[in-house]
Amino acid sequence: MQVRETDARYLCQTYARQPLTLVSGSGALLVDDAGKAYIDLGSGIAVNTFGACDNAWADAVCTQARLLQHTSNYYYTAPMAQLARMLCEKTGLARVFFCNSGAEANEGAIKVARKYASDKYGERARPIIITLENSFHGRTVTTLSATGQDAFHHQFGPFTPGFAHVPAGDIGAMEAALQNDDVCGVLLELVQGEGGVVTLEKDYVRAVADLCARHDALLMIDEVQTGNGRTGTLYAYMQYGIHPDVVTTAKGLAGGLPLGAVMLGQRCEGTLTPGSHGSTFGGNPVCCAAALSVLSRLDETLLAGVRARRALIEQALQGVKGVQDVSGLGLMVGIRTCRDAHDVMNACRARGVLVLTAKDKVRLLPPLNIPMDVLNQGLTILKEELAK
Ligand SMILES: *Cc1c(COP(=O)(O)O)cnc(C)c1O
C-alpha cells in the first residue's frame, strides 16, 4: 500500500494506473509485491522484447555497465558504431541517428524531412508533413501536432504548424494533399497501435510510396511499436514491398532500456550535418549493448516463432464467444470484443493475466519468445473472460 500512497502524494498523476505494484520478473512471468505471479501479455507496451530479465540481455547490460555507462557524443564508443552497422546491414538503410524515445525519433524524422526539402528547394518552400487520421506519433508538442487524433489537440497550443492529416486508406485524399508540392514528407504507422491496432492495406501503402517518389516527399515509417520483430519481420515495412526513406523506431529496440533510432535511406543520408541535431543520452553504450543483444537474436528462426505464435492466437480466438474480430500483425494483436475491453483487462488481471487495451479493443503485445504453453495458459483465461 505504501508505494501507492507515495505515488499518489508525490507523482504527477498522469497515468490511470491499475492497482498492481510489480517487483520482479522472469521471461513472460511478472511478480507483484505480494508474491503473486502474472502472465505478461503486454511486455511493458512492446518494450521487453524477450520478457523480463532475459539472461543474455541482462549479461550484455551488466557487462557494459561495468565497462563504461556513458560518454558524451564528442567521443566514439564501439556499441553505438556496431549497432548502427547492424541496423544498416539488416535493413539496407544507409545511416542511423540514435536518441532515447519514440517521440524523439519522430522529432528527428520531422527535422530530416524539413531539412531535406530546405536544402533542395529553399527554406520553408515545402513545410508540410502529411500524417494519417487516427495515428499516434508521440507526446511532445510537435509529435502531438503530427498525431492525427483531435483528442490530442487541446490545451497545449499553439501547436507546431505544418501538419496535414488525411484519412487512412484514401489514396485520393493523399494525392490531393501532395498536389501543391509544398510537402516534404509523409509519416505513417503500418499498424496503428494506439489507434486500435489498425493494419494498413498493402496496395494503399504502395500507392502512397509511389506518390512520395513522384513528389519528392520523404516516405517516413513510424516503426516505434511495429519494429524490432514485433510484427513477424524485423520491421513491418519489409512485408509491404516498399523502400522507406526514413524509419523511426524505439520501444522494443533495446529490450527494456530507452533507445530510439532514426534510420535514413540513401535519398536523405546526408541531411543531418554536424551541429544540425543531437541528443546527450542518444546512443548511450549500455542501451546500445542491450540493443545489440536483442537485434542479434532477431533472426529468421525467431521471426518464424513470432508468426507461429500469431497463428496460435488467431486459432485460439477463432469462434470464441464475445470476440468480434482480431486485427494487427504478428504479436501486435487487437481484439474487438462484445464485453467492455477495460472490464476484460481488469478481470484477467485478477486472474493473473496482464493484457492491454487500445481504443475499444483488448490488445496483446506479448514477449516475442513467450513459451507456447505460457501463451496458451494466458489465452485460456482471456477466452473465458471474453465469453462472459
Ligand atoms: C509509443 C509510440 C510513440 C511514442 O514513443 P515514446 O517512446 O513514448 O515517446 C510514437 N509512435 C508510435 C507508433 C508509438 O507506438
Side-chain angles (χ1 to χ4, degrees), residues 36-39 41 316-317 320 339 343-355 364 373-388:
K36 180 178 170 181
Y38 297 80
I39 294 173
L41 302 182
L317 294 175
V320 168
R339 196 176 168 198
D343 291 348
V344 173
M345 176 179 76
N346 292 332
C348 284
R349 186 182 65 251
R351 296 182 61 188
V353 179
L354 301 182
V355 304
L364 310 181
D373 59 330
V374 178
L375 179 57
N376 263 322
Q377 261 178 282
L379 289 171
T380 300
I381 288 168
L382 173 62
K383 281 192 300 192
E384 287 172 12
E385 290 305 327
L386 287 167
K388 278 186 183 163

PDB file of all heavy atoms in Angstrom, residues 36-39 41 316-317 320 339 343-355 364 373-388:
ATOM      1  N   LYS A  36       2.529 -12.689  -5.882  1.00  0.00           N
ATOM      2  CA  LYS A  36       1.659 -13.336  -6.859  1.00  0.00           C
ATOM      3  C   LYS A  36       2.236 -13.193  -8.274  1.00  0.00           C
ATOM      4  O   LYS A  36       2.738 -12.128  -8.629  1.00  0.00           O
ATOM      5  CB  LYS A  36       0.259 -12.687  -6.792  1.00  0.00           C
ATOM      6  CG  LYS A  36      -0.754 -13.286  -7.771  1.00  0.00           C
ATOM      7  CD  LYS A  36      -2.139 -12.639  -7.631  1.00  0.00           C
ATOM      8  CE  LYS A  36      -3.024 -13.081  -8.783  1.00  0.00           C
ATOM      9  NZ  LYS A  36      -4.358 -12.492  -8.762  1.00  0.00           N
ATOM     10  N   ALA A  37       2.174 -14.279  -9.057  1.00  0.00           N
ATOM     11  CA  ALA A  37       2.738 -14.268 -10.407  1.00  0.00           C
ATOM     12  C   ALA A  37       1.663 -13.950 -11.443  1.00  0.00           C
ATOM     13  O   ALA A  37       0.489 -14.300 -11.272  1.00  0.00           O
ATOM     14  CB  ALA A  37       3.375 -15.614 -10.709  1.00  0.00           C
ATOM     15  N   TYR A  38       2.070 -13.267 -12.507  1.00  0.00           N
ATOM     16  CA  TYR A  38       1.184 -12.893 -13.619  1.00  0.00           C
ATOM     17  C   TYR A  38       1.812 -13.307 -14.944  1.00  0.00           C
ATOM     18  O   TYR A  38       3.027 -13.170 -15.121  1.00  0.00           O
ATOM     19  CB  TYR A  38       0.961 -11.369 -13.654  1.00  0.00           C
ATOM     20  CG  TYR A  38       0.260 -10.830 -12.436  1.00  0.00           C
ATOM     21  CD1 TYR A  38       0.969 -10.601 -11.253  1.00  0.00           C
ATOM     22  CD2 TYR A  38      -1.098 -10.558 -12.471  1.00  0.00           C
ATOM     23  CE1 TYR A  38       0.324 -10.110 -10.128  1.00  0.00           C
ATOM     24  CE2 TYR A  38      -1.752 -10.059 -11.348  1.00  0.00           C
ATOM     25  CZ  TYR A  38      -1.036  -9.840 -10.177  1.00  0.00           C
ATOM     26  OH  TYR A  38      -1.666  -9.355  -9.069  1.00  0.00           O
ATOM     27  N   ILE A  39       0.982 -13.760 -15.863  1.00  0.00           N
ATOM     28  CA  ILE A  39       1.423 -13.979 -17.240  1.00  0.00           C
ATOM     29  C   ILE A  39       1.350 -12.632 -17.957  1.00  0.00           C
ATOM     30  O   ILE A  39       0.300 -11.987 -17.969  1.00  0.00           O
ATOM     31  CB  ILE A  39       0.539 -15.025 -17.947  1.00  0.00           C
ATOM     32  CG1 ILE A  39       0.741 -16.385 -17.279  1.00  0.00           C
ATOM     33  CG2 ILE A  39       0.867 -15.089 -19.437  1.00  0.00           C
ATOM     34  CD1 ILE A  39      -0.207 -17.470 -17.780  1.00  0.00           C
ATOM     35  N   LEU A  41       1.149 -10.431 -21.031  1.00  0.00           N
ATOM     36  CA  LEU A  41       0.839 -10.356 -22.464  1.00  0.00           C
ATOM     37  C   LEU A  41       0.928  -8.916 -22.961  1.00  0.00           C
ATOM     38  O   LEU A  41       0.275  -8.535 -23.931  1.00  0.00           O
ATOM     39  CB  LEU A  41      -0.555 -10.953 -22.743  1.00  0.00           C
ATOM     40  CG  LEU A  41      -0.754 -12.422 -22.319  1.00  0.00           C
ATOM     41  CD1 LEU A  41      -2.153 -12.908 -22.693  1.00  0.00           C
ATOM     42  CD2 LEU A  41       0.301 -13.331 -22.943  1.00  0.00           C
ATOM     43  N   ALA A 316      -6.746 -19.806 -31.432  1.00  0.00           N
ATOM     44  CA  ALA A 316      -7.369 -19.883 -30.102  1.00  0.00           C
ATOM     45  C   ALA A 316      -8.604 -18.986 -30.023  1.00  0.00           C
ATOM     46  O   ALA A 316      -9.574 -19.315 -29.336  1.00  0.00           O
ATOM     47  CB  ALA A 316      -6.356 -19.486 -29.028  1.00  0.00           C
ATOM     48  N   LEU A 317      -8.575 -17.854 -30.733  1.00  0.00           N
ATOM     49  CA  LEU A 317      -9.681 -16.899 -30.612  1.00  0.00           C
ATOM     50  C   LEU A 317     -10.790 -17.142 -31.639  1.00  0.00           C
ATOM     51  O   LEU A 317     -11.860 -16.540 -31.564  1.00  0.00           O
ATOM     52  CB  LEU A 317      -9.154 -15.463 -30.759  1.00  0.00           C
ATOM     53  CG  LEU A 317      -8.217 -14.995 -29.634  1.00  0.00           C
ATOM     54  CD1 LEU A 317      -7.655 -13.617 -29.940  1.00  0.00           C
ATOM     55  CD2 LEU A 317      -8.929 -14.990 -28.279  1.00  0.00           C
ATOM     56  N   VAL A 320     -14.565 -17.784 -30.712  1.00  0.00           N
ATOM     57  CA  VAL A 320     -14.811 -17.625 -29.274  1.00  0.00           C
ATOM     58  C   VAL A 320     -15.944 -16.632 -29.055  1.00  0.00           C
ATOM     59  O   VAL A 320     -15.989 -15.575 -29.693  1.00  0.00           O
ATOM     60  CB  VAL A 320     -13.526 -17.150 -28.563  1.00  0.00           C
ATOM     61  CG1 VAL A 320     -13.814 -16.694 -27.141  1.00  0.00           C
ATOM     62  CG2 VAL A 320     -12.492 -18.266 -28.567  1.00  0.00           C
ATOM     63  N   ARG A 339     -17.839  -7.608 -24.719  1.00  0.00           N
ATOM     64  CA  ARG A 339     -17.697  -7.088 -23.364  1.00  0.00           C
ATOM     65  C   ARG A 339     -16.755  -5.878 -23.382  1.00  0.00           C
ATOM     66  O   ARG A 339     -15.823  -5.824 -24.197  1.00  0.00           O
ATOM     67  CB  ARG A 339     -17.097  -8.208 -22.503  1.00  0.00           C
ATOM     68  CG  ARG A 339     -17.224  -7.995 -21.029  1.00  0.00           C
ATOM     69  CD  ARG A 339     -16.687  -9.191 -20.256  1.00  0.00           C
ATOM     70  NE  ARG A 339     -16.548  -8.853 -18.857  1.00  0.00           N
ATOM     71  CZ  ARG A 339     -15.812  -9.527 -17.981  1.00  0.00           C
ATOM     72  NH1 ARG A 339     -15.158 -10.615 -18.375  1.00  0.00           N
ATOM     73  NH2 ARG A 339     -15.734  -9.150 -16.730  1.00  0.00           N
ATOM     74  N   ASP A 343     -13.124  -3.903 -18.769  1.00  0.00           N
ATOM     75  CA  ASP A 343     -13.617  -4.939 -17.861  1.00  0.00           C
ATOM     76  C   ASP A 343     -12.866  -6.256 -18.084  1.00  0.00           C
ATOM     77  O   ASP A 343     -12.513  -6.954 -17.131  1.00  0.00           O
ATOM     78  CB  ASP A 343     -15.124  -5.169 -18.072  1.00  0.00           C
ATOM     79  CG  ASP A 343     -15.957  -3.978 -17.600  1.00  0.00           C
ATOM     80  OD1 ASP A 343     -15.395  -3.098 -16.910  1.00  0.00           O
ATOM     81  OD2 ASP A 343     -17.165  -3.935 -17.932  1.00  0.00           O
ATOM     82  N   VAL A 344     -12.628  -6.573 -19.347  1.00  0.00           N
ATOM     83  CA  VAL A 344     -11.872  -7.799 -19.662  1.00  0.00           C
ATOM     84  C   VAL A 344     -10.462  -7.698 -19.082  1.00  0.00           C
ATOM     85  O   VAL A 344      -9.964  -8.631 -18.430  1.00  0.00           O
ATOM     86  CB  VAL A 344     -11.801  -8.026 -21.198  1.00  0.00           C
ATOM     87  CG1 VAL A 344     -10.884  -9.201 -21.530  1.00  0.00           C
ATOM     88  CG2 VAL A 344     -13.192  -8.242 -21.780  1.00  0.00           C
ATOM     89  N   MET A 345      -9.825  -6.544 -19.271  1.00  0.00           N
ATOM     90  CA  MET A 345      -8.462  -6.344 -18.761  1.00  0.00           C
ATOM     91  C   MET A 345      -8.410  -6.509 -17.234  1.00  0.00           C
ATOM     92  O   MET A 345      -7.534  -7.202 -16.704  1.00  0.00           O
ATOM     93  CB  MET A 345      -7.968  -4.949 -19.152  1.00  0.00           C
ATOM     94  CG  MET A 345      -6.600  -4.592 -18.596  1.00  0.00           C
ATOM     95  SD  MET A 345      -6.067  -2.951 -19.127  1.00  0.00           S
ATOM     96  CE  MET A 345      -7.079  -1.911 -18.063  1.00  0.00           C
ATOM     97  N   ASN A 346      -9.378  -5.886 -16.542  1.00  0.00           N
ATOM     98  CA  ASN A 346      -9.382  -5.969 -15.071  1.00  0.00           C
ATOM     99  C   ASN A 346      -9.662  -7.379 -14.585  1.00  0.00           C
ATOM    100  O   ASN A 346      -9.039  -7.853 -13.616  1.00  0.00           O
ATOM    101  CB  ASN A 346     -10.413  -4.990 -14.503  1.00  0.00           C
ATOM    102  CG  ASN A 346      -9.987  -3.544 -14.723  1.00  0.00           C
ATOM    103  OD1 ASN A 346      -8.789  -3.244 -14.794  1.00  0.00           O
ATOM    104  ND2 ASN A 346     -10.952  -2.640 -14.845  1.00  0.00           N
ATOM    105  N   ALA A 347     -10.574  -8.057 -15.267  1.00  0.00           N
ATOM    106  CA  ALA A 347     -10.912  -9.423 -14.863  1.00  0.00           C
ATOM    107  C   ALA A 347      -9.730 -10.363 -15.101  1.00  0.00           C
ATOM    108  O   ALA A 347      -9.446 -11.239 -14.270  1.00  0.00           O
ATOM    109  CB  ALA A 347     -12.141  -9.902 -15.637  1.00  0.00           C
ATOM    110  N   CYS A 348      -9.041 -10.171 -16.212  1.00  0.00           N
ATOM    111  CA  CYS A 348      -7.854 -11.000 -16.495  1.00  0.00           C
ATOM    112  C   CYS A 348      -6.773 -10.770 -15.443  1.00  0.00           C
ATOM    113  O   CYS A 348      -6.142 -11.716 -14.968  1.00  0.00           O
ATOM    114  CB  CYS A 348      -7.304 -10.698 -17.886  1.00  0.00           C
ATOM    115  SG  CYS A 348      -8.271 -11.416 -19.222  1.00  0.00           S
ATOM    116  N   ARG A 349      -6.555  -9.505 -15.098  1.00  0.00           N
ATOM    117  CA  ARG A 349      -5.525  -9.195 -14.093  1.00  0.00           C
ATOM    118  C   ARG A 349      -5.836  -9.885 -12.774  1.00  0.00           C
ATOM    119  O   ARG A 349      -4.954 -10.461 -12.132  1.00  0.00           O
ATOM    120  CB  ARG A 349      -5.404  -7.684 -13.890  1.00  0.00           C
ATOM    121  CG  ARG A 349      -4.240  -7.299 -12.967  1.00  0.00           C
ATOM    122  CD  ARG A 349      -4.174  -5.806 -12.741  1.00  0.00           C
ATOM    123  NE  ARG A 349      -5.351  -5.331 -12.029  1.00  0.00           N
ATOM    124  CZ  ARG A 349      -6.313  -4.590 -12.572  1.00  0.00           C
ATOM    125  NH1 ARG A 349      -6.234  -4.204 -13.826  1.00  0.00           N
ATOM    126  NH2 ARG A 349      -7.349  -4.227 -11.843  1.00  0.00           N
ATOM    127  N   ALA A 350      -7.096  -9.854 -12.367  1.00  0.00           N
ATOM    128  CA  ALA A 350      -7.493 -10.512 -11.110  1.00  0.00           C
ATOM    129  C   ALA A 350      -7.194 -12.008 -11.171  1.00  0.00           C
ATOM    130  O   ALA A 350      -6.937 -12.633 -10.143  1.00  0.00           O
ATOM    131  CB  ALA A 350      -8.987 -10.271 -10.855  1.00  0.00           C
ATOM    132  N   ARG A 351      -7.193 -12.562 -12.379  1.00  0.00           N
ATOM    133  CA  ARG A 351      -6.910 -13.995 -12.529  1.00  0.00           C
ATOM    134  C   ARG A 351      -5.462 -14.257 -12.957  1.00  0.00           C
ATOM    135  O   ARG A 351      -5.123 -15.358 -13.401  1.00  0.00           O
ATOM    136  CB  ARG A 351      -7.885 -14.598 -13.543  1.00  0.00           C
ATOM    137  CG  ARG A 351      -9.341 -14.512 -13.052  1.00  0.00           C
ATOM    138  CD  ARG A 351     -10.292 -15.144 -14.023  1.00  0.00           C
ATOM    139  NE  ARG A 351      -9.992 -16.580 -14.192  1.00  0.00           N
ATOM    140  CZ  ARG A 351     -10.579 -17.358 -15.105  1.00  0.00           C
ATOM    141  NH1 ARG A 351     -11.485 -16.845 -15.922  1.00  0.00           N
ATOM    142  NH2 ARG A 351     -10.270 -18.625 -15.200  1.00  0.00           N
ATOM    143  N   GLY A 352      -4.594 -13.236 -12.874  1.00  0.00           N
ATOM    144  CA  GLY A 352      -3.165 -13.459 -13.104  1.00  0.00           C
ATOM    145  C   GLY A 352      -2.706 -13.356 -14.544  1.00  0.00           C
ATOM    146  O   GLY A 352      -1.662 -13.915 -14.898  1.00  0.00           O
ATOM    147  N   VAL A 353      -3.454 -12.613 -15.368  1.00  0.00           N
ATOM    148  CA  VAL A 353      -3.035 -12.413 -16.764  1.00  0.00           C
ATOM    149  C   VAL A 353      -3.094 -10.919 -17.081  1.00  0.00           C
ATOM    150  O   VAL A 353      -4.141 -10.287 -16.905  1.00  0.00           O
ATOM    151  CB  VAL A 353      -3.939 -13.190 -17.745  1.00  0.00           C
ATOM    152  CG1 VAL A 353      -3.502 -12.937 -19.196  1.00  0.00           C
ATOM    153  CG2 VAL A 353      -3.890 -14.688 -17.435  1.00  0.00           C
ATOM    154  N   LEU A 354      -1.970 -10.353 -17.561  1.00  0.00           N
ATOM    155  CA  LEU A 354      -1.927  -8.922 -17.867  1.00  0.00           C
ATOM    156  C   LEU A 354      -2.098  -8.700 -19.362  1.00  0.00           C
ATOM    157  O   LEU A 354      -1.271  -9.157 -20.163  1.00  0.00           O
ATOM    158  CB  LEU A 354      -0.595  -8.322 -17.400  1.00  0.00           C
ATOM    159  CG  LEU A 354      -0.299  -8.475 -15.898  1.00  0.00           C
ATOM    160  CD1 LEU A 354       1.026  -7.784 -15.562  1.00  0.00           C
ATOM    161  CD2 LEU A 354      -1.429  -7.911 -15.041  1.00  0.00           C
ATOM    162  N   VAL A 355      -3.189  -8.013 -19.736  1.00  0.00           N
ATOM    163  CA  VAL A 355      -3.412  -7.609 -21.122  1.00  0.00           C
ATOM    164  C   VAL A 355      -3.558  -6.096 -21.151  1.00  0.00           C
ATOM    165  O   VAL A 355      -3.667  -5.445 -20.108  1.00  0.00           O
ATOM    166  CB  VAL A 355      -4.667  -8.291 -21.741  1.00  0.00           C
ATOM    167  CG1 VAL A 355      -4.561  -9.802 -21.640  1.00  0.00           C
ATOM    168  CG2 VAL A 355      -5.945  -7.790 -21.073  1.00  0.00           C
ATOM    169  N   LEU A 364      -2.991  -7.271 -27.197  1.00  0.00           N
ATOM    170  CA  LEU A 364      -1.924  -8.161 -26.716  1.00  0.00           C
ATOM    171  C   LEU A 364      -0.610  -7.803 -27.404  1.00  0.00           C
ATOM    172  O   LEU A 364      -0.573  -7.629 -28.622  1.00  0.00           O
ATOM    173  CB  LEU A 364      -2.252  -9.630 -27.028  1.00  0.00           C
ATOM    174  CG  LEU A 364      -3.636 -10.164 -26.644  1.00  0.00           C
ATOM    175  CD1 LEU A 364      -3.741 -11.648 -27.007  1.00  0.00           C
ATOM    176  CD2 LEU A 364      -3.927  -9.959 -25.167  1.00  0.00           C
ATOM    177  N   ASP A 373       3.355 -22.803 -24.064  1.00  0.00           N
ATOM    178  CA  ASP A 373       2.442 -23.273 -23.008  1.00  0.00           C
ATOM    179  C   ASP A 373       1.999 -22.109 -22.118  1.00  0.00           C
ATOM    180  O   ASP A 373       0.848 -22.067 -21.674  1.00  0.00           O
ATOM    181  CB  ASP A 373       3.061 -24.419 -22.194  1.00  0.00           C
ATOM    182  CG  ASP A 373       4.373 -24.026 -21.533  1.00  0.00           C
ATOM    183  OD1 ASP A 373       5.091 -23.173 -22.099  1.00  0.00           O
ATOM    184  OD2 ASP A 373       4.679 -24.547 -20.450  1.00  0.00           O
ATOM    185  N   VAL A 374       2.885 -21.163 -21.883  1.00  0.00           N
ATOM    186  CA  VAL A 374       2.509 -19.988 -21.081  1.00  0.00           C
ATOM    187  C   VAL A 374       1.491 -19.145 -21.855  1.00  0.00           C
ATOM    188  O   VAL A 374       0.495 -18.671 -21.296  1.00  0.00           O
ATOM    189  CB  VAL A 374       3.760 -19.141 -20.725  1.00  0.00           C
ATOM    190  CG1 VAL A 374       3.367 -17.903 -19.935  1.00  0.00           C
ATOM    191  CG2 VAL A 374       4.763 -19.983 -19.954  1.00  0.00           C
ATOM    192  N   LEU A 375       1.733 -18.987 -23.161  1.00  0.00           N
ATOM    193  CA  LEU A 375       0.802 -18.243 -24.006  1.00  0.00           C
ATOM    194  C   LEU A 375      -0.575 -18.918 -23.983  1.00  0.00           C
ATOM    195  O   LEU A 375      -1.606 -18.245 -23.821  1.00  0.00           O
ATOM    196  CB  LEU A 375       1.352 -18.176 -25.440  1.00  0.00           C
ATOM    197  CG  LEU A 375       0.506 -17.452 -26.485  1.00  0.00           C
ATOM    198  CD1 LEU A 375       0.211 -16.013 -26.087  1.00  0.00           C
ATOM    199  CD2 LEU A 375       1.205 -17.478 -27.854  1.00  0.00           C
ATOM    200  N   ASN A 376      -0.587 -20.226 -24.114  1.00  0.00           N
ATOM    201  CA  ASN A 376      -1.847 -20.969 -24.079  1.00  0.00           C
ATOM    202  C   ASN A 376      -2.588 -20.797 -22.758  1.00  0.00           C
ATOM    203  O   ASN A 376      -3.801 -20.618 -22.737  1.00  0.00           O
ATOM    204  CB  ASN A 376      -1.595 -22.465 -24.326  1.00  0.00           C
ATOM    205  CG  ASN A 376      -1.826 -22.817 -25.784  1.00  0.00           C
ATOM    206  OD1 ASN A 376      -2.740 -22.287 -26.408  1.00  0.00           O
ATOM    207  ND2 ASN A 376      -0.991 -23.679 -26.327  1.00  0.00           N
ATOM    208  N   GLN A 377      -1.836 -20.844 -21.660  1.00  0.00           N
ATOM    209  CA  GLN A 377      -2.426 -20.632 -20.330  1.00  0.00           C
ATOM    210  C   GLN A 377      -3.095 -19.267 -20.251  1.00  0.00           C
ATOM    211  O   GLN A 377      -4.209 -19.128 -19.754  1.00  0.00           O
ATOM    212  CB  GLN A 377      -1.318 -20.666 -19.267  1.00  0.00           C
ATOM    213  CG  GLN A 377      -1.148 -21.955 -18.519  1.00  0.00           C
ATOM    214  CD  GLN A 377       0.036 -21.783 -17.553  1.00  0.00           C
ATOM    215  OE1 GLN A 377       1.191 -21.843 -17.972  1.00  0.00           O
ATOM    216  NE2 GLN A 377      -0.268 -21.544 -16.285  1.00  0.00           N
ATOM    217  N   GLY A 378      -2.384 -18.256 -20.725  1.00  0.00           N
ATOM    218  CA  GLY A 378      -2.928 -16.897 -20.709  1.00  0.00           C
ATOM    219  C   GLY A 378      -4.170 -16.797 -21.579  1.00  0.00           C
ATOM    220  O   GLY A 378      -5.172 -16.176 -21.199  1.00  0.00           O
ATOM    221  N   LEU A 379      -4.111 -17.412 -22.761  1.00  0.00           N
ATOM    222  CA  LEU A 379      -5.243 -17.335 -23.694  1.00  0.00           C
ATOM    223  C   LEU A 379      -6.475 -18.050 -23.142  1.00  0.00           C
ATOM    224  O   LEU A 379      -7.606 -17.627 -23.388  1.00  0.00           O
ATOM    225  CB  LEU A 379      -4.841 -17.930 -25.049  1.00  0.00           C
ATOM    226  CG  LEU A 379      -3.851 -17.089 -25.879  1.00  0.00           C
ATOM    227  CD1 LEU A 379      -3.367 -17.880 -27.090  1.00  0.00           C
ATOM    228  CD2 LEU A 379      -4.489 -15.769 -26.326  1.00  0.00           C
ATOM    229  N   THR A 380      -6.265 -19.118 -22.404  1.00  0.00           N
ATOM    230  CA  THR A 380      -7.388 -19.857 -21.827  1.00  0.00           C
ATOM    231  C   THR A 380      -8.198 -18.958 -20.892  1.00  0.00           C
ATOM    232  O   THR A 380      -9.428 -18.892 -20.966  1.00  0.00           O
ATOM    233  CB  THR A 380      -6.870 -21.096 -21.063  1.00  0.00           C
ATOM    234  OG1 THR A 380      -6.179 -21.922 -21.996  1.00  0.00           O
ATOM    235  CG2 THR A 380      -8.006 -21.881 -20.431  1.00  0.00           C
ATOM    236  N   ILE A 381      -7.481 -18.227 -20.049  1.00  0.00           N
ATOM    237  CA  ILE A 381      -8.161 -17.318 -19.112  1.00  0.00           C
ATOM    238  C   ILE A 381      -8.792 -16.148 -19.873  1.00  0.00           C
ATOM    239  O   ILE A 381      -9.945 -15.775 -19.619  1.00  0.00           O
ATOM    240  CB  ILE A 381      -7.163 -16.843 -18.031  1.00  0.00           C
ATOM    241  CG1 ILE A 381      -6.866 -18.018 -17.096  1.00  0.00           C
ATOM    242  CG2 ILE A 381      -7.710 -15.643 -17.257  1.00  0.00           C
ATOM    243  CD1 ILE A 381      -5.718 -17.819 -16.155  1.00  0.00           C
ATOM    244  N   LEU A 382      -8.050 -15.593 -20.835  1.00  0.00           N
ATOM    245  CA  LEU A 382      -8.589 -14.490 -21.639  1.00  0.00           C
ATOM    246  C   LEU A 382      -9.883 -14.911 -22.340  1.00  0.00           C
ATOM    247  O   LEU A 382     -10.875 -14.176 -22.334  1.00  0.00           O
ATOM    248  CB  LEU A 382      -7.537 -14.029 -22.660  1.00  0.00           C
ATOM    249  CG  LEU A 382      -8.004 -12.994 -23.697  1.00  0.00           C
ATOM    250  CD1 LEU A 382      -8.446 -11.689 -23.024  1.00  0.00           C
ATOM    251  CD2 LEU A 382      -6.894 -12.708 -24.722  1.00  0.00           C
ATOM    252  N   LYS A 383      -9.875 -16.091 -22.932  1.00  0.00           N
ATOM    253  CA  LYS A 383     -11.064 -16.581 -23.653  1.00  0.00           C
ATOM    254  C   LYS A 383     -12.268 -16.687 -22.719  1.00  0.00           C
ATOM    255  O   LYS A 383     -13.386 -16.314 -23.097  1.00  0.00           O
ATOM    256  CB  LYS A 383     -10.787 -17.951 -24.295  1.00  0.00           C
ATOM    257  CG  LYS A 383      -9.989 -17.853 -25.576  1.00  0.00           C
ATOM    258  CD  LYS A 383      -9.969 -19.154 -26.357  1.00  0.00           C
ATOM    259  CE  LYS A 383      -9.368 -20.297 -25.567  1.00  0.00           C
ATOM    260  NZ  LYS A 383      -9.103 -21.479 -26.427  1.00  0.00           N
ATOM    261  N   GLU A 384     -12.031 -17.197 -21.508  1.00  0.00           N
ATOM    262  CA  GLU A 384     -13.138 -17.324 -20.549  1.00  0.00           C
ATOM    263  C   GLU A 384     -13.715 -15.950 -20.218  1.00  0.00           C
ATOM    264  O   GLU A 384     -14.928 -15.786 -20.122  1.00  0.00           O
ATOM    265  CB  GLU A 384     -12.653 -18.030 -19.276  1.00  0.00           C
ATOM    266  CG  GLU A 384     -12.428 -19.514 -19.489  1.00  0.00           C
ATOM    267  CD  GLU A 384     -11.751 -20.194 -18.283  1.00  0.00           C
ATOM    268  OE1 GLU A 384     -11.671 -19.563 -17.191  1.00  0.00           O
ATOM    269  OE2 GLU A 384     -11.304 -21.344 -18.445  1.00  0.00           O
ATOM    270  N   GLU A 385     -12.848 -14.961 -20.080  1.00  0.00           N
ATOM    271  CA  GLU A 385     -13.324 -13.619 -19.723  1.00  0.00           C
ATOM    272  C   GLU A 385     -14.017 -12.938 -20.906  1.00  0.00           C
ATOM    273  O   GLU A 385     -14.984 -12.208 -20.730  1.00  0.00           O
ATOM    274  CB  GLU A 385     -12.171 -12.767 -19.196  1.00  0.00           C
ATOM    275  CG  GLU A 385     -11.660 -13.212 -17.818  1.00  0.00           C
ATOM    276  CD  GLU A 385     -12.774 -13.264 -16.765  1.00  0.00           C
ATOM    277  OE1 GLU A 385     -13.720 -12.452 -16.828  1.00  0.00           O
ATOM    278  OE2 GLU A 385     -12.707 -14.137 -15.869  1.00  0.00           O
ATOM    279  N   LEU A 386     -13.493 -13.193 -22.118  1.00  0.00           N
ATOM    280  CA  LEU A 386     -14.114 -12.616 -23.315  1.00  0.00           C
ATOM    281  C   LEU A 386     -15.537 -13.145 -23.494  1.00  0.00           C
ATOM    282  O   LEU A 386     -16.421 -12.444 -23.992  1.00  0.00           O
ATOM    283  CB  LEU A 386     -13.288 -12.948 -24.559  1.00  0.00           C
ATOM    284  CG  LEU A 386     -11.954 -12.198 -24.704  1.00  0.00           C
ATOM    285  CD1 LEU A 386     -11.087 -12.846 -25.788  1.00  0.00           C
ATOM    286  CD2 LEU A 386     -12.186 -10.728 -25.028  1.00  0.00           C
ATOM    287  N   ALA A 387     -15.756 -14.389 -23.091  1.00  0.00           N
ATOM    288  CA  ALA A 387     -17.038 -15.056 -23.328  1.00  0.00           C
ATOM    289  C   ALA A 387     -18.100 -14.669 -22.297  1.00  0.00           C
ATOM    290  O   ALA A 387     -19.260 -15.027 -22.450  1.00  0.00           O
ATOM    291  CB  ALA A 387     -16.831 -16.562 -23.343  1.00  0.00           C
ATOM    292  N   LYS A 388     -17.683 -13.953 -21.227  1.00  0.00           N
ATOM    293  CA  LYS A 388     -18.648 -13.638 -20.148  1.00  0.00           C
ATOM    294  C   LYS A 388     -19.633 -12.557 -20.559  1.00  0.00           C
ATOM    295  O   LYS A 388     -19.299 -11.677 -21.339  1.00  0.00           O
ATOM    296  CB  LYS A 388     -17.890 -13.200 -18.900  1.00  0.00           C
ATOM    297  CG  LYS A 388     -17.395 -14.422 -18.122  1.00  0.00           C
ATOM    298  CD  LYS A 388     -16.771 -14.020 -16.793  1.00  0.00           C
ATOM    299  CE  LYS A 388     -16.235 -15.277 -16.106  1.00  0.00           C
ATOM    300  NZ  LYS A 388     -15.290 -14.955 -15.039  1.00  0.00           N
TER     301      LYS A 388
END
